[in-house]
PDB file of all heavy atoms in Angstrom:
ATOM      1  N   ALA A 213     -49.312  20.205  27.293  1.00  0.00           N
ATOM      2  CA  ALA A 213     -49.461  18.950  27.989  1.00  0.00           C
ATOM      3  C   ALA A 213     -50.848  18.698  28.553  1.00  0.00           C
ATOM      4  O   ALA A 213     -51.451  17.673  28.388  1.00  0.00           O
ATOM      5  CB  ALA A 213     -48.500  18.933  29.187  1.00  0.00           C
ATOM      6  N   SER A 214     -51.510  19.769  29.098  1.00  0.00           N
ATOM      7  CA  SER A 214     -52.813  19.693  29.535  1.00  0.00           C
ATOM      8  C   SER A 214     -53.864  19.485  28.408  1.00  0.00           C
ATOM      9  O   SER A 214     -54.845  18.770  28.591  1.00  0.00           O
ATOM     10  CB  SER A 214     -53.207  20.911  30.423  1.00  0.00           C
ATOM     11  OG  SER A 214     -54.313  20.704  31.229  1.00  0.00           O
ATOM     12  N   ALA A 216     -53.093  17.933  25.628  1.00  0.00           N
ATOM     13  CA  ALA A 216     -52.924  16.533  25.210  1.00  0.00           C
ATOM     14  C   ALA A 216     -53.696  15.609  26.082  1.00  0.00           C
ATOM     15  O   ALA A 216     -54.340  14.680  25.591  1.00  0.00           O
ATOM     16  CB  ALA A 216     -51.431  16.248  25.211  1.00  0.00           C
ATOM     17  N   VAL A 217     -53.661  15.865  27.432  1.00  0.00           N
ATOM     18  CA  VAL A 217     -54.425  14.994  28.297  1.00  0.00           C
ATOM     19  C   VAL A 217     -55.906  15.109  27.993  1.00  0.00           C
ATOM     20  O   VAL A 217     -56.642  14.054  28.046  1.00  0.00           O
ATOM     21  CB  VAL A 217     -54.056  15.430  29.785  1.00  0.00           C
ATOM     22  CG1 VAL A 217     -55.064  14.778  30.754  1.00  0.00           C
ATOM     23  CG2 VAL A 217     -52.706  15.032  30.155  1.00  0.00           C
ATOM     24  N   VAL A 220     -56.628  13.140  24.783  1.00  0.00           N
ATOM     25  CA  VAL A 220     -56.543  11.670  24.950  1.00  0.00           C
ATOM     26  C   VAL A 220     -57.774  11.158  25.729  1.00  0.00           C
ATOM     27  O   VAL A 220     -58.345  10.117  25.323  1.00  0.00           O
ATOM     28  CB  VAL A 220     -55.203  11.298  25.632  1.00  0.00           C
ATOM     29  CG1 VAL A 220     -55.230   9.792  26.053  1.00  0.00           C
ATOM     30  CG2 VAL A 220     -53.983  11.585  24.813  1.00  0.00           C
ATOM     31  N   LEU A 234     -52.948   8.252  22.081  1.00  0.00           N
ATOM     32  CA  LEU A 234     -51.631   8.845  22.285  1.00  0.00           C
ATOM     33  C   LEU A 234     -50.851   8.952  20.956  1.00  0.00           C
ATOM     34  O   LEU A 234     -50.272  10.036  20.701  1.00  0.00           O
ATOM     35  CB  LEU A 234     -50.822   8.054  23.289  1.00  0.00           C
ATOM     36  CG  LEU A 234     -51.258   8.041  24.687  1.00  0.00           C
ATOM     37  CD1 LEU A 234     -50.502   6.942  25.573  1.00  0.00           C
ATOM     38  CD2 LEU A 234     -50.962   9.367  25.351  1.00  0.00           C
ATOM     39  N   LEU A 259     -39.496  15.305  27.071  1.00  0.00           N
ATOM     40  CA  LEU A 259     -39.393  14.675  28.450  1.00  0.00           C
ATOM     41  C   LEU A 259     -40.821  14.666  29.089  1.00  0.00           C
ATOM     42  O   LEU A 259     -41.171  13.745  29.789  1.00  0.00           O
ATOM     43  CB  LEU A 259     -38.372  15.490  29.340  1.00  0.00           C
ATOM     44  CG  LEU A 259     -36.931  15.522  28.819  1.00  0.00           C
ATOM     45  CD1 LEU A 259     -36.048  16.263  29.856  1.00  0.00           C
ATOM     46  CD2 LEU A 259     -36.379  14.107  28.537  1.00  0.00           C
ATOM     47  N   ILE A 260     -41.515  15.825  29.012  1.00  0.00           N
ATOM     48  CA  ILE A 260     -42.828  15.889  29.584  1.00  0.00           C
ATOM     49  C   ILE A 260     -43.758  14.883  28.997  1.00  0.00           C
ATOM     50  O   ILE A 260     -44.527  14.235  29.753  1.00  0.00           O
ATOM     51  CB  ILE A 260     -43.384  17.319  29.431  1.00  0.00           C
ATOM     52  CG1 ILE A 260     -42.613  18.292  30.269  1.00  0.00           C
ATOM     53  CG2 ILE A 260     -44.883  17.408  29.769  1.00  0.00           C
ATOM     54  CD1 ILE A 260     -42.852  19.794  29.880  1.00  0.00           C
ATOM     55  N   TRP A 261     -43.715  14.746  27.670  1.00  0.00           N
ATOM     56  CA  TRP A 261     -44.588  13.765  26.974  1.00  0.00           C
ATOM     57  C   TRP A 261     -44.312  12.347  27.456  1.00  0.00           C
ATOM     58  O   TRP A 261     -45.222  11.557  27.583  1.00  0.00           O
ATOM     59  CB  TRP A 261     -44.429  13.859  25.460  1.00  0.00           C
ATOM     60  CG  TRP A 261     -45.249  12.863  24.749  1.00  0.00           C
ATOM     61  CD1 TRP A 261     -44.754  11.697  24.110  1.00  0.00           C
ATOM     62  CD2 TRP A 261     -46.642  12.866  24.554  1.00  0.00           C
ATOM     63  NE1 TRP A 261     -45.819  11.053  23.568  1.00  0.00           N
ATOM     64  CE2 TRP A 261     -46.962  11.732  23.798  1.00  0.00           C
ATOM     65  CE3 TRP A 261     -47.719  13.698  24.921  1.00  0.00           C
ATOM     66  CZ2 TRP A 261     -48.367  11.375  23.500  1.00  0.00           C
ATOM     67  CZ3 TRP A 261     -49.047  13.334  24.617  1.00  0.00           C
ATOM     68  CH2 TRP A 261     -49.274  12.177  23.901  1.00  0.00           C
ATOM     69  N   ALA A 262     -43.039  12.027  27.690  1.00  0.00           N
ATOM     70  CA  ALA A 262     -42.717  10.722  28.206  1.00  0.00           C
ATOM     71  C   ALA A 262     -43.384  10.385  29.482  1.00  0.00           C
ATOM     72  O   ALA A 262     -43.847   9.286  29.739  1.00  0.00           O
ATOM     73  CB  ALA A 262     -41.138  10.568  28.323  1.00  0.00           C
ATOM     74  N   SER A 263     -43.463  11.377  30.310  1.00  0.00           N
ATOM     75  CA  SER A 263     -44.139  11.225  31.640  1.00  0.00           C
ATOM     76  C   SER A 263     -45.654  11.103  31.450  1.00  0.00           C
ATOM     77  O   SER A 263     -46.303  10.319  32.121  1.00  0.00           O
ATOM     78  CB  SER A 263     -43.814  12.357  32.592  1.00  0.00           C
ATOM     79  OG  SER A 263     -42.428  12.408  32.952  1.00  0.00           O
ATOM     80  N   VAL A 264     -46.230  11.986  30.580  1.00  0.00           N
ATOM     81  CA  VAL A 264     -47.612  11.917  30.322  1.00  0.00           C
ATOM     82  C   VAL A 264     -48.079  10.550  29.695  1.00  0.00           C
ATOM     83  O   VAL A 264     -48.993   9.942  30.217  1.00  0.00           O
ATOM     84  CB  VAL A 264     -48.058  13.128  29.383  1.00  0.00           C
ATOM     85  CG1 VAL A 264     -49.486  12.867  28.900  1.00  0.00           C
ATOM     86  CG2 VAL A 264     -47.885  14.455  30.057  1.00  0.00           C
ATOM     87  N   SER A 265     -47.366  10.070  28.705  1.00  0.00           N
ATOM     88  CA  SER A 265     -47.792   8.879  28.045  1.00  0.00           C
ATOM     89  C   SER A 265     -47.544   7.654  29.050  1.00  0.00           C
ATOM     90  O   SER A 265     -48.372   6.729  29.047  1.00  0.00           O
ATOM     91  CB  SER A 265     -46.922   8.606  26.776  1.00  0.00           C
ATOM     92  OG  SER A 265     -45.599   8.514  26.987  1.00  0.00           O
ATOM     93  N   LYS A 266     -46.522   7.750  29.887  1.00  0.00           N
ATOM     94  CA  LYS A 266     -46.308   6.626  30.857  1.00  0.00           C
ATOM     95  C   LYS A 266     -47.436   6.643  31.864  1.00  0.00           C
ATOM     96  O   LYS A 266     -47.879   5.549  32.287  1.00  0.00           O
ATOM     97  CB  LYS A 266     -44.979   6.817  31.597  1.00  0.00           C
ATOM     98  CG  LYS A 266     -44.524   5.705  32.434  1.00  0.00           C
ATOM     99  CD  LYS A 266     -43.150   5.959  32.925  1.00  0.00           C
ATOM    100  CE  LYS A 266     -42.718   4.816  33.866  1.00  0.00           C
ATOM    101  NZ  LYS A 266     -41.359   5.073  34.418  1.00  0.00           N
ATOM    102  N   ALA A 267     -47.911   7.882  32.247  1.00  0.00           N
ATOM    103  CA  ALA A 267     -49.017   7.864  33.168  1.00  0.00           C
ATOM    104  C   ALA A 267     -50.281   7.262  32.626  1.00  0.00           C
ATOM    105  O   ALA A 267     -51.141   6.724  33.365  1.00  0.00           O
ATOM    106  CB  ALA A 267     -49.259   9.349  33.556  1.00  0.00           C
ATOM    107  N   PHE A 268     -50.419   7.318  31.229  1.00  0.00           N
ATOM    108  CA  PHE A 268     -51.561   6.699  30.570  1.00  0.00           C
ATOM    109  C   PHE A 268     -51.360   5.142  30.437  1.00  0.00           C
ATOM    110  O   PHE A 268     -52.243   4.433  30.016  1.00  0.00           O
ATOM    111  CB  PHE A 268     -51.938   7.350  29.273  1.00  0.00           C
ATOM    112  CG  PHE A 268     -52.746   8.556  29.390  1.00  0.00           C
ATOM    113  CD1 PHE A 268     -52.178   9.806  29.184  1.00  0.00           C
ATOM    114  CD2 PHE A 268     -54.120   8.445  29.596  1.00  0.00           C
ATOM    115  CE1 PHE A 268     -52.996  10.968  29.211  1.00  0.00           C
ATOM    116  CE2 PHE A 268     -54.846   9.620  29.655  1.00  0.00           C
ATOM    117  CZ  PHE A 268     -54.354  10.882  29.525  1.00  0.00           C
ATOM    118  N   GLY A 269     -50.149   4.692  30.686  1.00  0.00           N
ATOM    119  CA  GLY A 269     -49.885   3.251  30.629  1.00  0.00           C
ATOM    120  C   GLY A 269     -49.338   2.825  29.239  1.00  0.00           C
ATOM    121  O   GLY A 269     -49.290   1.630  29.008  1.00  0.00           O
ATOM    122  N   ALA A 270     -48.950   3.734  28.350  1.00  0.00           N
ATOM    123  CA  ALA A 270     -48.380   3.361  27.064  1.00  0.00           C
ATOM    124  C   ALA A 270     -47.271   4.332  26.766  1.00  0.00           C
ATOM    125  O   ALA A 270     -47.538   5.528  26.547  1.00  0.00           O
ATOM    126  CB  ALA A 270     -49.469   3.356  26.015  1.00  0.00           C
ATOM    127  N   TRP A 370     -43.801  21.119  34.317  1.00  0.00           N
ATOM    128  CA  TRP A 370     -44.608  20.007  34.994  1.00  0.00           C
ATOM    129  C   TRP A 370     -45.347  20.540  36.246  1.00  0.00           C
ATOM    130  O   TRP A 370     -46.510  20.179  36.460  1.00  0.00           O
ATOM    131  CB  TRP A 370     -43.656  18.774  35.416  1.00  0.00           C
ATOM    132  CG  TRP A 370     -44.368  17.580  35.872  1.00  0.00           C
ATOM    133  CD1 TRP A 370     -44.643  17.196  37.134  1.00  0.00           C
ATOM    134  CD2 TRP A 370     -45.090  16.642  34.994  1.00  0.00           C
ATOM    135  NE1 TRP A 370     -45.384  16.121  37.141  1.00  0.00           N
ATOM    136  CE2 TRP A 370     -45.684  15.695  35.913  1.00  0.00           C
ATOM    137  CE3 TRP A 370     -45.206  16.592  33.648  1.00  0.00           C
ATOM    138  CZ2 TRP A 370     -46.323  14.643  35.359  1.00  0.00           C
ATOM    139  CZ3 TRP A 370     -45.937  15.489  33.134  1.00  0.00           C
ATOM    140  CH2 TRP A 370     -46.506  14.577  34.011  1.00  0.00           C
ATOM    141  N   PHE A 373     -48.247  22.404  34.830  1.00  0.00           N
ATOM    142  CA  PHE A 373     -49.210  21.465  34.456  1.00  0.00           C
ATOM    143  C   PHE A 373     -50.013  20.846  35.546  1.00  0.00           C
ATOM    144  O   PHE A 373     -51.238  20.644  35.476  1.00  0.00           O
ATOM    145  CB  PHE A 373     -48.410  20.338  33.637  1.00  0.00           C
ATOM    146  CG  PHE A 373     -49.197  19.094  33.384  1.00  0.00           C
ATOM    147  CD1 PHE A 373     -50.247  19.071  32.473  1.00  0.00           C
ATOM    148  CD2 PHE A 373     -48.867  17.897  34.017  1.00  0.00           C
ATOM    149  CE1 PHE A 373     -50.915  17.883  32.212  1.00  0.00           C
ATOM    150  CE2 PHE A 373     -49.501  16.754  33.797  1.00  0.00           C
ATOM    151  CZ  PHE A 373     -50.541  16.682  32.872  1.00  0.00           C
TER     152      PHE A 373
END
Side-chain angles (χ1 to χ4, degrees):
S214 196
V217 169
V220 171
L234 289 167
L259 300 182
I260 292 166
W261 176 255
S263 296
V264 169
S265 63
K266 188 175 181 180
F268 276 108
W370 190 259
F373 165 71

